[in-house]
Amino acid sequence: MKGEPVVIIGSGGHAKVAIELIRAEAKYQIAGCTGLVEGDFVLDNVPILGNDSVLSAVLTGGVTKAFIAIGDNRLRVKLLAHAREIGFELINAVSPNAVISPSATLGKGIAIMAGAVINACAHIGDGAIVNSNATVDHDCFLSNGTHICPGSALAGNVKIGSESFLGTGACVIPGVRIGDRAIIGAGSVVIRDIPDDMMAMGVPARIIRAVTTSFS
Ligand code: JB3
């Protein structure tokens, strides 16, 4: 397998998807994963090298690129900063079957799955996830660590704050602002702004309570 080596930080379901995205791009070779359970494998043959305490040794061993494959938004953003502090360069994992506008801007450590559409002048922040078949339309702004779950749809000019979570199949009408660390329930239709740290769901989405935990 050719390409520069990359270490995957995470070893669960999201890591499986990230590994296959990176393999499909064929730009990097996967050196291994770090996780909470050592001495196992992810997918067919990607070794779990140990927990994150091995990352400095992995870097000095010549693996200078990393991808954070953790679905929990808050933990992913924390690990993104940690990997950068150690000295890793963060790569993106972008499906060759995603459609990304040439005027869209992408940060680092981003996952964009198959069938996703990122339209004109949209911005995707560091560590964001635009999951399978999700659409982000023109002039949308996704802040760092946001997760747009499979099949969700953002119309034009939607702004989503950092570490927010948009559940599977949720829709947001044009111009809506969703705050930081917000959680929108699966299948919701968001027609008005949602403040920071609030959970909303339903058609139309209504605020049901404050958010107390992070989501993935
Ligand atoms: O919804 C979809 C399509 N995907 C979800 C994804 C975005 O988020 C998926 O269904 C899950 O809800 C979630 O995937 P994730 O984060 O892989 O979840 P799970 O399968 O539970 O695996 C979490 C992994 O993170 C486990 O392997 C843990 O060992 C590992 N982990 C937890 N804390 C950690 C740490 N790994 C490292 N390296 N460092 C940590 O601090």
Side-chain angles (χ1 to χ4, degrees):
M1 203 183 307
K2 63 183 186 350
E4 285 189 72
V6 60
V7 62
I8 307 294
I9 298 175
S11 52
H14 191 46
K16 293 178 187 174
V17 174
I19 288 165
E20 292 190 346
L21 287 176
I22 293 167
R23 283 177 173 167
E25 266 192 296
K27 274 169 61 181
Y28 304 101
Q29 55 177 311
I30 313 272
C33 295
T34 59
L36 299 187
V37 179
E38 192 176 333
D40 209 337
F41 291 87
V42 178
L43 287 178
D44 39 12
N45 62 354
V46 180
I48 299 178
L49 306 171
N51 62 36
D52 296 339
S53 66
V54 306
L55 287 171
S56 297
V58 167
L59 182 70
T60 47
V63 180
T64 61
K65 293 185 168 40
F67 183 80
I68 318 295
I70 298 273
D72 180 284
N73 293 343
R74 200 164 303 170
L75 180 55
R76 185 169 69 254
V77 168
K78 184 174 150 240
L79 287 170
L80 211 73
H82 178 61
R84 276 185 167 139
E85 271 160 35
I86 296 177
F88 283 103
E89 179 192 338
L90 294 168
I91 68 162
N92 290 337
V94 179
S95 169
N97 298 311
V99 178
I100 301 174
S101 159
S103 60
T105 51
L106 303 184
K108 294 288 184 193
I110 288 167
I112 300 178
M113 280 69 164
V117 175
I118 313 288
N119 227 321
C121 302
H123 174 75
I124 311 297
D126 290 356
I129 303 172
V130 181
N131 225 310
S132 315
N133 290 324
T135 58
V136 178
D137 226 294
H138 67 87
D139 300 297
C140 283
F141 189 95
L142 270 57
S143 305
N144 294 355
T146 298
H147 180 191
I148 309 300
C149 286
S152 293
L154 307 185
N157 286 298
V158 170
K159 308 286 185 265
I160 300 192
S162 58
E163 299 176 23
S164 285
F165 176 91
L166 207 75
T168 304
C171 303
V172 186
I173 67 169
V176 164
R177 274 161 177 66
I178 294 174
D180 296 341
R181 299 173 301 280
I183 294 174
I184 306 298
S188 300
V189 175
V190 184
I191 62 171
R192 58 178 71 87
D193 291 359
I194 303 292
D196 295 354
D197 301 299
M198 283 296 164
M199 180 182 285
M201 60 180 62
V203 180
R206 297 191 194 292
I207 293 171
I208 56 167
R209 64 172 171 86
V211 173
T212 51
T213 57
S214 185
F215 244 54
S216 67

